Amino acid sequence: MKTKKIFYTALIIALPFVWTSCSDILDVEPNDVITKENFYKSESDFQAATGPLYNKVWFDFNDKFYYGLGDGRAANMYAPFSDYVYPFTDLTETGLTGPLVSAWGSLYNVVQQSNNVIIGISGSTLNDAIKNRYIAEARFMRGTAYWYLASLWGDVIISTDPRELVKNPIVNKNPMKDVYEFSIRDLEFAAKYLPETAGQAGRLTRYSAFGMLSRVYLSFSGVSDNPNSGTRNQAYLDLAKKAAEKVMSSGPYALMTNYEDLFMIDNNNNTESMFALQWVPNGDYGVNNTQQAYFALGSDITGDDAAWGYWTRASYNVLQEYESKDLRRKATWMGNKDHYASINKANGGYTVDHGNDFLTVKKGVVGSTKDNAKITRMNSALNTYMLRLGEVYLNYAEAALGNNASTADATAISVVNRLRTRAGLDPKTTLTYADIIHERRVELCMEGQYWYDLVRRAYYKQQEVINYVTGQNRGVITPILYDTATNTVTVDASKSTSPRAIGVIDATIFTLPYPESELVQNPLLRENPVPYEFKEEKIKDLF
């Protein structure tokens, strides 16, 4: 309840500062609401101003794009009748695709809300130590948003002051390398000035920033002028490893014992959660987590009509990935005869009964308000993971592998085996890229990550990833049979395959089209990018 009050109050206070896109930033300055002249007077004001950065500004990103892009485009899932999934799965999205347009707007809402908070706090008369802590919070959010923008669109507009865009919304975009550098600088500032421990449940720590840096350094290590260079920049691989080491050796985080428990409402802000979107239980639209409505198999799970997940299913390709004893499959996908004690508790739990020819989504599906009073229609009340310790372990392992064919790095093997042991699997003695990407895919499946793993690989082994995506056979619908007892998928020979039209698979799949509305408002998005002028000194004392 305390967390709900913090973030909901913050939302009410800061709503006037939320915008809808990069170009259409702000029509008028608010003159009848809280502004920087009568706000930012105390630390509680800072907490209120940063609160919406954990929910409202991310809403349109979380609603459909988080998984539609992160998992749908990576062919972890398919939903042939959902126009917020199949354009990404089929590689046919355009600048008019709804979730793409919404995600662009949401990410720039994060950027501009963060900018407004940074400007407001910077002008406060409070001491620098307090100001830097909350500026760091806003810069973490802005840096994270720019990592997404760089990963998805490549060249985008870097903005630090929305007032400048109000004066002139027609501005040049900046090159992807500069966007990455901007993201890194924001996150390095956050790693220096965020607190050692969270002052309130769900708030960031400096180790949240180190964890995010391990991701961004890892991504940037492959960026060069040659997308088929085959190697990554060793300096950034070393930085990724160091950032992950900071989290693992000094951070307050620890793995949950039971993987399935990660996705229970009462375990929001658990020991493994490093950055999660904080949705308000019983909250209004905009601060609610809608995902269960799109995932739930039927109303017998949700207890209401918001259960549209019958055709949102695991792909044949991802089901082939699971090892026979992997406990993560049942926590991620619902198969025939799977039993879930936390759903329909009053009747002894919920047993799936839909035949063995498909699996629907479990991760994010938590039941009805009878199972937990925090659940309401179209609001699961479940936090959305944006970064958790399991990913940092895998970031470390991939950085340790670096440009080698395999690694026997003791720490890398140890942390990967912690994940495998929790999943009920045998340990590894060495690690290859194939081992690590396998673990990433199943550990983080339906957490909006796998497409970004493929993009990261495509920065330096582009043709390999093109071949991989081609080999997923997205244009063929394969009838399957699934044995939940052994996690075994086979082709149903009694049924025929059928074709599905997909887009061209080539280098263009690694950047999304700009929203058509943005191109109309700002025609300079069609032009070549212009280098960004960095005026701030880089932080050099993090490691």
Side-chain angles (χ1 to χ4, degrees):
M1 184 61 69
K2 183 177 180 182
T3 301
K4 173 183 175 180
K5 181 178 179 181
I6 290 166
F7 289 106
Y8 192 66
T9 302
L11 169 67
I12 293 171
I13 290 173
L15 261 176
F17 305 132
V18 179
W19 304 277
T20 57
S21 72
C22 183
S23 299
D24 185 18
I25 298 299
L26 186 65
D27 293 327
V28 293
E29 287 284 348
N31 56 18
D32 59 348
V33 295
I34 295 170
T35 64
K36 67 179 182 180
E37 285 75 23
N38 56 23
F39 196 46
Y40 298 112
K41 301 292 187 181
S42 67
E43 186 171 356
S44 61
D45 288 347
F46 295 175
Q47 291 173 348
T50 52
L53 301 180
Y54 290 85
N55 49 37
K56 178 66 176 180
V57 292
W58 292 97
F59 177 79
D60 283 336
F61 174 85
N62 180 77
D63 181 52
K64 299 182 180 75
F65 189 84
Y66 172 87
Y67 58 88
L69 189 288
D71 290 282
R73 193 171 180 81
N76 281 346
M77 63 181 295
Y78 78 98
F81 306 110
S82 297
D83 59 6
Y84 46 85
V85 175
Y86 70 71
F88 300 121
T89 305
D90 298 349
L91 307 170
T92 57
E93 72 290 310
T94 70
L96 297 174
T97 300
L100 179 151
V101 176
S102 295
W104 171 278
S106 182
L107 291 168
Y108 271 107
N109 271 341
V110 177
V111 168
Q112 300 298 13
Q113 173 74 348
S114 298
N115 285 338
N116 202 76
V117 169
I118 291 165
I119 292 167
I121 293 176
S122 296
S124 171
T125 58
L126 267 65
N127 69 67
D128 286 345
I130 295 176
K131 291 199 296 185
N132 282 340
R133 173 176 174 173
Y134 291 93
I135 289 172
E137 205 167 11
R139 289 190 66 168
F140 175 99
M141 299 293 184
R142 186 176 69 180
T144 300
Y146 270 120
W147 174 79
Y148 277 111
L149 287 162
S151 300
L152 294 164
W153 282 279
D155 304 332
V156 297
I157 297 165
I158 297 174
S159 170
T160 60
D161 189 342
R163 295 168 298 188
E164 295 302 315
L165 284 175
V166 172
K167 296 175 185 176
N168 178 25
I170 303 176
V171 294
N172 292 103
K173 62 188 178 184
N174 305 108
M176 182 178 74
K177 287 184 179 179
D178 288 356
V179 181
Y180 264 108
E181 176 64 26
F182 188 88
S183 171
I184 287 169
R185 290 183 182 219
D186 265 354
L187 292 166
E188 288 175 338
F189 184 95
K192 182 168 183 175
Y193 291 108
L194 280 168
E196 288 278 327
T197 58
Q200 299 165 321
R203 291 270 181 175
L204 298 167
T205 71
R206 68 188 306 243
Y207 300 103
S208 306
F210 278 118
M212 193 61 73
L213 277 169
S214 74
R215 178 196 291 180
V216 180
Y217 287 145
L218 195 58
S219 294
F220 194 50
S221 69
V223 174
S224 73
D225 294 332
N226 179 5
N228 288 298
S229 68
T231 60
R232 291 187 270 189
N233 184 307
Q234 189 61 49
Y236 280 99
L237 289 171
D238 291 343
L239 284 170
K241 186 176 174 181
K242 288 179 180 179
E245 279 180 317
K246 280 278 193 181
V247 174
M248 297 188 301
S249 63
S250 304
Y253 306 102
L255 286 189
M256 295 279 285
T257 301
N258 184 350
Y259 183 81
E260 191 172 359
D261 287 347
L262 284 165
F263 312 101
M264 303 293 183
I265 300 166
D266 291 336
N267 292 328
N268 282 346
N269 300 321
N270 57 67
T271 60
E272 193 169 337
S273 179
M274 299 179 64
F275 169 37
L277 302 182
Q278 306 285 316
W279 306 112
V280 180
N282 306 309
D284 294 333
Y285 196 75
V287 291
N288 56 318
N289 189 351
T290 56
Q291 289 181 8
Q292 174 169 252
Y294 306 124
F295 293 163
L297 174 61
S299 59
D300 51 343
I301 292 176
T302 63
D304 55 40
D305 64 326
W308 308 307
Y310 182 85
W311 282 101
T312 301
R313 301 177 174 184
S315 70
Y316 173 44
N317 185 256
V318 79
L319 292 176
Q320 292 174 297
E321 197 80 39
Y322 288 94
E323 297 169 66
S324 63
K325 297 185 294 182
D326 197 329
L327 300 174
R328 293 172 292 195
R329 195 281 306 161
K330 181 172 176 283
T332 308
W333 303 105
M334 285 186 169
N336 191 42
K337 298 183 181 178
D338 281 336
H339 181 79
Y340 299 95
S342 62
I343 298 175
N344 196 19
K345 293 178 184 177
N347 295 309
Y350 178 79
T351 300
V352 181
D353 181 15
H354 60 36
N356 62 350
D357 55 345
F358 66 96
L359 287 82
T360 55
V361 183
K362 167 59 179 73
K363 196 176 283 188
V365 174
V366 290
S368 72
T369 191
K370 292 180 180 179
D371 296 314
N372 192 310
K374 296 176 183 177
I375 302 168
T376 50
R377 186 182 184 280
M378 289 198 73
N379 187 4
S380 70
L382 188 69
N383 285 355
T384 300
Y385 288 113
M386 300 289 277
L387 177 72
R388 59 180 176 86
L389 185 60
E391 182 198 337
V392 176
Y393 283 176
L394 293 164
N395 292 346
Y396 177 93
E398 188 172 337
L401 176 70
N403 293 311
N404 303 307
S406 65
T407 182
D409 182 289
T411 301
I413 292 169
S414 173
V415 295
V416 169
N417 282 339
R418 290 179 202 175
L419 300 178
R420 288 182 61 80
T421 299
R422 180 171 68 174
L425 301 175
D426 296 331
K428 297 281 187 179
T429 55
T430 61
L431 293 171
T432 64
Y433 176 76
D435 293 326
I436 294 168
I437 199 66
H438 162 78
E439 292 300 326
R440 293 190 74 96
R441 190 176 193 187
V442 294
E443 175 71 23
L444 303 170
C445 191
M446 293 308 295
E447 294 179 53
Q449 282 293 315
Y450 192 49
W451 177 251
Y452 304 97
D453 294 340
L454 298 181
V455 169
R456 179 173 67 254
R457 185 74 165 176
Y459 287 151
Y460 64 103
K461 290 197 174 183
Q462 186 181 91
Q463 190 57 51
E464 176 192 289
V465 182
I466 290 172
N467 295 343
Y468 172 81
V469 173
T470 301
Q472 289 179 315
N473 284 324
R474 297 172 186 229
V476 176
I477 301 173
T478 303
I480 66 165
L481 295 172
Y482 196 83
D483 184 342
T484 56
T486 61
N487 287 346
T488 303
V489 62
T490 56
V491 175
D492 185 353
S494 69
K495 298 178 182 178
S496 300
T497 59
S498 55
R500 183 172 183 82
I502 62 170
V504 175
I505 301 175
D506 59 18
T508 63
I509 67 173
F510 300 113
T511 51
L512 298 179
Y514 297 111
E516 190 64 32
S517 56
E518 295 297 317
L519 292 172
V520 170
Q521 292 180 60
N522 181 11
L524 289 181
L525 280 174
R526 300 181 189 272
E527 305 298 323
N528 291 331
V530 173
Y532 182 76
E533 182 181 356
F534 291 95
K535 299 177 181 178
E536 180 184 45
E537 287 284 328
K538 273 186 72 71
I539 291 172
K540 299 178 181 178
D541 58 353
L542 285 182
F543 304 105

